[in-house]
């Protein structure tokens, strides 16, 4: 990393930077400021921020942090030297999500090819809605979507990059409704009967949010039971579809999950597809977290049956490390349903008498107007390492999880809640003072407090980050996520050592 950190600024002292508020100053001053700021970013975020010897975070209480950052916005601009200090402070006090010991979320690490794509995207500053303003990016997005669909198992289809997996899930719901009741687009909710959406008890909360946003209503989310591994039970799904029909509602969509947020469970897609086909219900797969297993010949079996779905949501910014945000909605549809459902035919953008193929103007496929080129970073990364390289990332993460679980079983005090199906390792840490006392009346209350206290200690010391949560009758437990290519077996050992160090006195 050291050799990539320096960025020349021609030796000029930042204190001597021209004042950009002076209207007579030319662009060279701005470029010089950018060069200095970029150097800070490389040093603080990409050098220190990926160095295992550095902290994951420099924790400060909110009031103190606001003073350190000098967040107040004022009428007059500020000197460039002070602005560079602000850049330094923002980098220093932000969480280092690329750090090898950031295990807190379903995203982590950094891919430098993808990062180059992100820098390029920001510099280009264009809008991916028409070919005339984004010719390169329109073609790149089409190729990336085609390649992702191919991994799903579709030789034809459609798709669009959306601002996050939650939006992908909402789009799928909207498309399913439009397919059944196209008049809803013009007549609104008056035109449709009561609709029902089916999803597992452990699916992502965006299914509920989508139903609320689209006017379907959260009361019309039918929760399907899960098995002991957190996977949707197809038999219960069928029973609930039949019950919903008998109550006069129309089954609209089944939202399966490939890689649930907490446990990392994969719903049995083939068996769910049987039910959906029997009842002519749209089958959507929320593969935001787990979709990247499709790159791996060893792991893609987890999504057997995905080609039978109508739509798939997939977030390459997670396991593939394409960088936030990078979320694709993939469709099996070949009838241009995406555009029919969302188009408004704005004549100032989507003129039909252009000198090129107007089908290349993809902006009317989405509810957005402004849309970033989230495909570029994934394309550049994919070009660099190939499908084989991306498959190796997936397999490496699985191997590290296997190693972590093996080591966890050798240590006293670590209680694995479920055998991991994916890259989520859920466990309790039982401090020495609580071992062998499971029968005591206050045991569950005491256990629920362990993870929050350890989490507070690790953040304030800055050594690592890992999430925790309750689920059902299970009180707070740690959810360890392993995905970054920067992570090693040594980091797995450190993780276990650190949990013990922070929690042994509780």
């Amino acid at each position: 990393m050291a050799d990539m950190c320096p960025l020349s600024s021609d030796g000029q002292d930042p204190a001597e930077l021209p004042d950009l508020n002076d209207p007579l100053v030319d662009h060279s001053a701005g470029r010089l400021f950018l060069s200095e700021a970029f150097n800070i970013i490389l040093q603080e975020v990409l050098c220190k921020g990926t160095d295992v010897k550095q902290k994951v975070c420099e924790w400060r209480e909110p009031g103190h942090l606001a003073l350190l950052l000098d967040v107040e916005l004022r009428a007059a601009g500020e000197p460039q030297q002070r602005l560079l200090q602000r850049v330094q402070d923002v980098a220093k006090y932000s969480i280092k999500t690329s750090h090898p010991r950031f295990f807190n979320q379903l995203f982590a690490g950094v891919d430098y090819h993808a990062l180059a794509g992100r820098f390029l995207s920001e510099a280009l500053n264009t809008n991916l809605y028409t070919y005339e303003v984004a010719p390169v990016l329109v073609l790149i997005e089409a190729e990336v979507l085609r390649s992702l669909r191919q991994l799903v198992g579709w030789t034809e289809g459609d798709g669009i990059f959306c601002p996050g997996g939650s939006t992908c899930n909402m789009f799928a719901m909207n498309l399913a409704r439009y397919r059944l009741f196209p008049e809803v687009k013009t007549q609104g909710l008056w035109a449709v009967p009561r609709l029902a959406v089916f999803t597992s008890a452990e699916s992502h909360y965006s299914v509920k949010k989508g139903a609320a946003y689209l006017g379907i209503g959260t009361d019309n989310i039918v929760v399907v039971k899960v098995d002991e591994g957190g996977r949707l039970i197809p038999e219960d799904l069928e029973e609930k579809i039949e019950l919903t029909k008998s109550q006069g509602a129309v089954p609209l969509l089944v939202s399966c999950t490939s890689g649930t947020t907490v446990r990392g469970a994969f719903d049995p897609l083939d068996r769910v597809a049987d039910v959906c086909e029997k009842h002519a219900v749209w089958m959507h797969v929320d593969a935001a977290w787990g979709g990247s297993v499709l790159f791996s010949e060893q792991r893609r079996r987890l999504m057997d049956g995905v080609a039978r779905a109508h739509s798939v949501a997939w977030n390459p910014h997670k396991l593939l490390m394409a960088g936030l945000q990078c979320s694709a909605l993939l469709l099996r549809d070949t009838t241009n349903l995406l555009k029919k459902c969302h188009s408004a035919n704005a004549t100032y953008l989507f003129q039909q008498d252009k000198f090129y193929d107007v089908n290349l103007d993809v902006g009317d496929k989405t509810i957005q107007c402004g849309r970033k080129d989230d495909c570029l970073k994934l394309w550049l990364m994919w070009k660099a390492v190939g499908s084989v390289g991306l498959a190796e990332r997936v397999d490496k993460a699985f191997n590290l999880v296997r190693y972590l679980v093996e080591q966890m079983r050798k240590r006293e005090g670590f209680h694995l809640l479920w055998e991991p199906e994916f890259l989520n390792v859920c466990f309790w840490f039982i401090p020495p003072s609580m071992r062998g006392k499971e029968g005591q009346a206050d045991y569950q209350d005491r256990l629920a407090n362990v993870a929050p206290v350890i989490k507070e200690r690790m953040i304030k010391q800055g050594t690592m980050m890992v999430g925790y949560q309750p689920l059902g009758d299970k009180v707070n437990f740690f959810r360890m996520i392993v995905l970054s290519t920067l992570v090693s077996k040594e980091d797995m050992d450190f993780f276990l050592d650190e949990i013990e160090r922070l929690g042994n006195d509780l």
Side-chain angles (χ1 to χ4, degrees), residues 394-448:
V394 175
D395 293 334
K396 178 185 177 182
F398 272 90
N399 291 337
L400 283 172
V401 164
R402 184 172 65 246
Y403 174 82
L404 176 65
V405 171
E406 288 172 355
Q407 299 306 308
M408 192 176 286
R409 289 197 170 106
K410 296 176 183 178
R411 302 195 185 207
E412 191 176 2
F414 288 90
H415 179 88
L416 196 66
L417 273 70
W418 303 281
E419 189 68 27
E421 184 174 21
F422 191 29
L423 306 176
N424 309 41
V425 181
C426 300
F427 67 94
W428 282 313
F429 177 70
I430 316 297
S433 67
M434 295 177 59
R435 292 170 195 169
K437 300 179 181 178
E438 291 79 2
Q440 293 184 353
D442 64 344
Y443 180 83
Q444 290 296 312
D445 291 336
R446 292 173 63 197
L447 182 58

Side-chain angles (χ1 to χ4, degrees), residues 230-470:
R231 297 171 288 265
L232 180 148
I233 300 174
E235 293 77 12
D236 189 57
L237 171 65
E238 175 137 34
E239 287 181 15
K240 285 180 172 159
I241 288 177
E242 294 282 9
L243 178 61
T244 298
K245 285 182 173 180
S246 71
Q247 294 172 340
V250 175
L252 175 66
L253 174 141
V254 174
S255 184
C256 314
T257 312
S258 289
T260 57
T261 305
V262 177
R263 286 207 251 183
F266 285 73
D267 290 341
L269 302 183
D270 252 331
R271 293 167 60 202
V272 172
D274 291 339
V275 177
C276 290
E277 289 173 4
K278 177 180 177 180
H279 294 278
V281 180
W282 183 290
M283 177 179 169
H284 174 64
V285 179
D286 177 1
W289 174 213
S292 297
V293 301
L294 293 174
F295 276 98
S296 170
E297 289 300 323
Q298 293 178 261
R299 315 296 176 181
R300 62 177 294 117
R301 59 173 178 74
L302 289 167
M303 290 183 65
D304 282 350
V306 66
R308 299 172 67 185
H310 293 85
S311 55
V312 175
W314 186 347
N315 286 2
H317 69 237
K318 292 183 175 174
L319 181 51
L320 297 184
M321 302 193 309
L324 288 163
Q325 61 192 10
C326 188
S327 305
L329 174 66
L330 308 174
L331 300 172
R332 182 156 48 101
D333 174 76
T334 57
T335 67
N336 213 16
L337 185 67
L338 196 57
K339 186 172 182 179
K340 291 174 182 176
C341 179
H342 292 147
S343 65
N345 301 311
T347 56
Y348 73 93
L349 271 181
F350 306 114
Q351 304 94 332
Q352 297 304 295
D353 55 358
K354 292 182 177 180
F355 61 92
Y356 59 81
D357 182 0
V358 294
N359 290 315
L360 294 169
D361 289 351
V362 294
D364 235 5
K365 291 183 177 183
T366 174
I367 61 171
Q368 299 168 256
C369 179
R371 189 165 70 95
K372 292 188 67 65
D373 50 328
D374 293 331
C375 59
L376 178 57
K377 51 200 166 193
L378 175 57
W379 176 80
L380 197 58
M381 178 179 71
W382 201 336
K383 292 281 281 186
V385 304
S387 300
V388 172
L390 296 177
E392 289 173 351
R393 293 181 181 187
V394 175
D395 293 334
K396 178 185 177 182
F398 272 90
N399 291 337
L400 283 172
V401 164
R402 184 172 65 246
Y403 174 82
L404 176 65
V405 171
E406 288 172 355
Q407 299 306 308
M408 192 176 286
R409 289 197 170 106
K410 296 176 183 178
R411 302 195 185 207
E412 191 176 2
F414 288 90
H415 179 88
L416 196 66
L417 273 70
W418 303 281
E419 189 68 27
E421 184 174 21
F422 191 29
L423 306 176
N424 309 41
V425 181
C426 300
F427 67 94
W428 282 313
F429 177 70
I430 316 297
S433 67
M434 295 177 59
R435 292 170 195 169
K437 300 179 181 178
E438 291 79 2
Q440 293 184 353
D442 64 344
Y443 180 83
Q444 290 296 312
D445 291 336
R446 292 173 63 197
L447 182 58
N449 290 326
V450 171
V453 172
I454 293 177
K455 177 69 177 279
E456 179 182 358
R457 290 177 175 181
M458 75 173 67
I459 288 183
K460 288 184 175 179
Q461 295 179 33
T463 54
M464 64 183 189
M465 285 186 70
V466 62
Y468 72 86
Q469 65 284 301

Side-chain angles (χ1 to χ4, degrees), residues 211-223:
Y213 186 81
L214 293 170
I216 293 169
T218 57
D219 287 349
N220 293 311
I221 296 288
V222 181
V223 178

